[in-house]
Amino acid sequence: MNLINVIKLVRKNISRNSKQLLVASIGIVIGLWAFSLFLSFGLGITNVVEGEIFPWDKIEVIPPATNLEASRTRTPVANSSACDENDFYIDGKPNGTVNHDLALKFHKKRYLDNEVVEMIRRRPEVRTAYPKMKFTFPAVAEGGQDALHLANPLRTEIFADGIEPSTLIQCNEKETAEDMERPREVRQCDVYFPFQFKDYALESDPDEPICSTSDDCGAGVYCEEEDPAKVWVFPLNKPDVGNLRNRYYKYCYHAIPVLVSTYLLELWNGSVAPAHGYPKISKSTLGTFLGLTFDTYLGLSMFTSKAQTVPPITRKFQLVGISRKAIPLGVTAPLTVAARYNDYFATRDEAGDVLDKERPKAETYSSIVVRVKSKKQITSFLAFVKKLGFTQEDTNAETVGLVILFITGILVFISFVIVIIAAINIANTYFMIISERRREIGIMRAIGANRGDIRSIFLAEAALLGFLDGALGLALGWLTATFVDWVIWHVVPEFPFKPETAFHFPLWLVISTVIFGVAFCVFGALFPAYKAAKIEPSEALLPQ
Amino acid sequence: MLSLPPHVWYTRAMKEEIISLTKVNKYYGHGGGRQQVLHDLTLTINHGDFISIVGTSGSGKTTLLNIVGGLDRRYDGTCVVDGQQVEKLDDKRLARLRNETLGFVFQSFNLMEHLTCWENVALSAFFQGSNIPQSQIYSRAVEVLERFGLHDKIHSQPANLSGGQKQRVAIARALYNKPKILLCDEPTGNLDSKTGDDVIELFKSLNREDGITLLVITHEERVSKATDRSIHLEDGRIVSENAEAPPVK
C-alpha cells in the first residue's frame, strides 16, 4: 500500500470522524499548547538571565577567601622535571606533574596580577579576559541636581572599580536612531560619542596652568585642587605624607570618566526612579544623562567615620557610557585611576611606603573577568582556576539557572501528564472508531488488505491527527506568548530587566512540539491499531 | 462451446481444478459449547464453473465461502485455491490471493459509505503492492463502472444509489482486479426480483464471456437454477449435487 493511497484513505477517515477526533484532540492540543508555552517561557527567561543578568559565558576569577598572610606560610610542593603550566598543587598537595617555579610563585602570591591575567588569556577555553580592580576605600558621590530636576543634589555612597579602557568598545561616532533601536545585548558601544574612557592623568602635562575657576579651563575640564594621588605617582619622588594637606594651588583636571552597568540602569528604571519620582533613563533620554558630572569625595563614607590615614580627595566623575562590563552596583573608572587611588589610600609606614600587607590591595587585581568560548569548556576552565588556587565569584547564576530549570521542568512535566492523559483518550476514541469500522476492516481484508495495511491506515490517521494537533497547540502557544508579551509591555509596570520578550521559540522547540503531537497520537492509537489488524476478516464481516 | 472465448472453452475442456477442499472440518466455540459446522467436506470446483451452494440457514454455506475466500483459516483439512494451499499461506500472501485471484460480492453490498463509487471500486488497487499511477487506477475503475452502466454514478456516494446500483458497484469492485474466482454470498438477497434477475444475467455473462469461476451462495431457487451445478448443504455436509452440462450458445 503506497503512501498516496494511505493519505487518501486517512484524509477521508479523519473528515468522516472529525467530531469524535476533535473532541479527543482537545487534550493533546491543550497539552502541547502548555508544553510549547512553558518550555518557550523557560527558554526565554533563561535567555534573559544568561544573556543580561548573569551571562553564562562570564566567569569572574577571584582570589581565595582565605587570609593572604596565612596562605603564604604554606609549603610549596616538591619540584618535578616535567613542566606543565596547567598543573599545580591543590591545597599544598602534589597533583600530578608540577611546575616547581610557577607553583612556588603562585603558592606564595595567591593574588591576581598581570602574570595571572596573561596565563588565563593563553588558555584555549578563553575568549577574552580582563582584570578589574576595586576601589579599596570608601567614596561618596554628590550631584545630578540639574539632570534629575531636584531641589537638592543627590548624595550617595558609591562603590567603584577600574577596568582597562582597551577592553571596552568606544564608539567614535554618534549612534544612529537605528543603532539605538537595536536590543542592548547586540549594541556595540560601551562608551558613547563624544566621550572617551581613559585616564586623562596619564597624559596630562605636569606644568598645566593653575586656575581659579573652571571657566579658566575650557569644556570638560574643571578647576580643582591639586590631586595628591597624582603627585604621588608623578613625579616619582614621593612627598612627605605630612605635606599632603598643603593645597594652595588649583589645576585644570579632566573629569574622571566612569561607566555604569546595564544592571544599575535597570534597577534605576525599575525600582529607584518609580519609588522616588525620578525620571527614567530610556533609549531616547539616555543622551541627557551621558556627560552628567558629579562631585566624588574619595576617602569619605556616609556609613563610617573611620578616618583614612591620608586626607580625602574631591574629584569630578563623568558618566560616559553604559556597559555590561561595569560593576553592577556602582561606577567603573579606568584601571589606572583605581590603582592610583588604591595606592594613595593604602596604609603606609613611616617612610611613606605602602605596608606589605596592603601591597596586594594597591598592586593587584580584585578579579579577572573571563569570557569562555563555549559552555562545554566552563568545567575545564574552572578546574584550571582551582588548580591555580583561585576561585570564581558566586553570581548565583547557577542557583537561578537551576531554579528556572526546575520550574520549567515541573511545568513541562505537567504538560506531559496532560498529553499522556490525552493519549489515553485518543486510545479510547480509536477503540470506539475501530468498533464502528469493524465491518469496513472486514471488507478491506476481503479485497486484499493485509494486517499491516490495516495497522498503517489507523496509525497514519493518528499521525496526521497528531501533526494537526501539534501545529494547533504550537500556534496557540505562540499566540498566548505574543499576548503575554503584549501584557508585559503594555500593562505590567516597569521592573528590572523587563525583557523584550519573555518567550523563545527555537526551531527545535517548534519541531519537537509537532513530533510530540505525532508521537503521542500514534502512541494512543498503537494498541487499537494492533487490535484492529488482528480482527479476523470472517468475524469482522459478521452482521452486527 | 466453440463460440466461447478460447481461454474459457480451453479451461472448461481441460477441467482444471481451481478450488479443492479435502476433508474440511470447521468448529465454532470452545469446550462444551463447541459446535461443528462443516463435516469432512470434500469439494472440487473447476475453472469456469458456475456453482451455487444452497441450504438452510446454519447449514455452513457462508463458512464454506469464508474458507474458500481465505477469510477464515481456523479449520481442519485442506483448501487449495488456484494452486495455493490456503491454510499454509502467511498473512501477506493470503491477502495477495484475495486481492488478485478472488472477488467478493456480499448480500448487503458492503460499500464504504464515505467513499465515492469509483473509490469503492478502486479500493482493491490501494492494497496492491506495486505503485500503480493514480490515473491508471481511476481509468480502470471508470472502465469497470461503465461496463455495468454506472457511467453517471462514478463520483456519487453509495447513499445516493438504488439497491441494484449498489450491488453493481459491489460487483464492479469485485471485478476490478480481473479475478479468476467470484465468491458471492446471497448476492440477490437484498434486491427485488427484477434487479435480482439482472444480477443473475450479469453473473452468467461474466462466467461465459470472461470465464470467471463463480461460487454463489443462495437460498433462492431461481439463482440455483441459473447455475451449472448446485450443491446442497445440510448441517455442514453435502447432501446432494445437481450437475448440469454448461449450456452452449
Side-chain angles (χ1 to χ4, degrees), chain B residues 2 9 19 27 30 33 35 93 104 111-112 123-124 126 132 164 171 178 187 193 195 217 221-222 226-227 249:
Chain B
L2 289 172
W9 64 254
I19 299 168
Y27 303 89
H30 303 280
Q35 189 187 349
R93 287 169 67 195
F104 291 89
L111 296 176
M112 304 267 202
L123 200 56
S124 60
F126 287 5
I132 306 164
I171 296 167
K178 300 175 182 169
S193 58
T195 318
I217 285 174
E221 202 180 338
R222 60 186 175 130
T227 60
K249 281 190 178 175

Side-chain angles (χ1 to χ4, degrees), chain A residues 16-25 429 432-433 436:
Chain A
R16 174 168 49 144
N17 291 104
S18 56
K19 280 180 189 168
Q20 274 172 296
L21 293 173
L22 190 68
V23 172
S25 293
T429 306
M432 288 196 308
I433 287 174
E436 281 173 18

Side-chain angles (χ1 to χ4, degrees), chain A residues 47-279:
Chain A
N47 274 359
V48 175
V49 171
E50 289 190 348
E52 293 200 37
I53 305 173
F54 308 115
W56 64 265
D57 60 342
K58 185 177 154 186
I59 293 167
E60 198 160 352
V61 178
I62 55 170
T66 53
N67 184 296
L68 286 169
E69 287 302 309
S71 70
R72 291 178 206 187
T73 60
R74 287 184 180 171
T75 313
V77 295
N79 65 343
S80 168
S81 54
C83 293
D84 181 353
E85 66 179 43
N86 297 341
D87 286 316
F88 295 100
Y89 66 94
I90 296 170
D91 294 335
K93 291 172 190 163
N95 178 35
T97 45
V98 172
N99 181 321
H100 177 74
D101 294 337
L102 281 173
L104 187 68
K105 191 191 300 175
F106 285 104
H107 184 60
K108 275 188 173 175
K109 281 208 286 191
R110 282 288 184 100
Y111 50 77
L112 305 163
D113 63 5
N114 280 329
E115 211 163 352
V116 182
V117 174
E118 277 313 306
M119 187 168 276
I120 285 175
R121 279 180 180 155
R122 283 202 301 270
R123 290 291 300 180
E125 304 97 338
V126 173
R127 191 152 56 94
T128 59
Y130 61 89
K132 278 181 143 185
M133 186 185 283
K134 279 184 182 153
F135 281 27
T136 55
F137 52 90
V140 172
E142 192 179 83
Q145 204 171 346
D146 297 333
L148 301 170
H149 312 292
L150 305 172
N152 297 307
L154 191 70
R155 191 179 163 88
T156 178
E157 184 93 8
I158 60 164
F159 306 98
D161 69 358
I163 58 170
E164 282 279 5
S166 60
T167 62
L168 298 170
I169 297 167
Q170 307 206 28
C171 290
N172 296 323
E173 292 177 10
K174 190 170 172 58
E175 271 195 311
T176 60
E178 199 179 311
D179 290 334
M180 299 294 272
E181 282 304 312
R182 288 158 68 200
R184 270 191 304 277
E185 57 270 21
V186 295
R187 287 236 302 276
Q188 294 296 313
C189 291
D190 290 310
V191 182
Y192 293 89
F193 179 81
F195 306 105
Q196 283 188 301
F197 185 80
K198 64 180 182 183
D199 186 1
Y200 286 98
L202 294 178
E203 57 189 36
S204 293
D205 184 352
D207 298 324
E208 58 198 298
I210 296 172
C211 56
S212 55
T213 67
S214 293
D215 295 336
D216 300 335
C217 300
V221 187
Y222 302 89
C223 189
E224 294 191 84
E225 287 175 351
E226 187 178 24
D227 186 344
K230 188 177 172 234
V231 174
W232 203 270
V233 183
F234 316 99
L236 294 171
N237 294 330
K238 293 168 191 159
D240 184 14
V241 177
N243 290 336
L244 282 172
R245 287 187 178 278
N246 197 11
R247 298 178 189 171
Y248 297 114
Y249 304 112
K250 284 190 168 184
Y251 288 85
C252 287
Y253 287 107
H254 247 284
I256 294 167
V258 292
L259 304 169
V260 293
S261 66
T262 48
Y263 181 82
L264 189 66
L265 188 70
E266 292 288 348
L267 199 69
W268 175 272
N269 283 340
S271 303
V272 182
H276 295 85
Y278 298 147

Side-chain angles (χ1 to χ4, degrees), chain A residues 2 8 439 445 451 539, chain B residues 74 91 98 110 134:
Chain A
N2 68 31
K8 203 175 251 183
R439 199 166 179 81
R445 294 297 304 275
R451 291 186 200 281
E539 288 171 13
Chain B
R74 286 171 295 187
D91 179 58
R98 288 195 295 256
N110 281 347
Q134 294 297 304

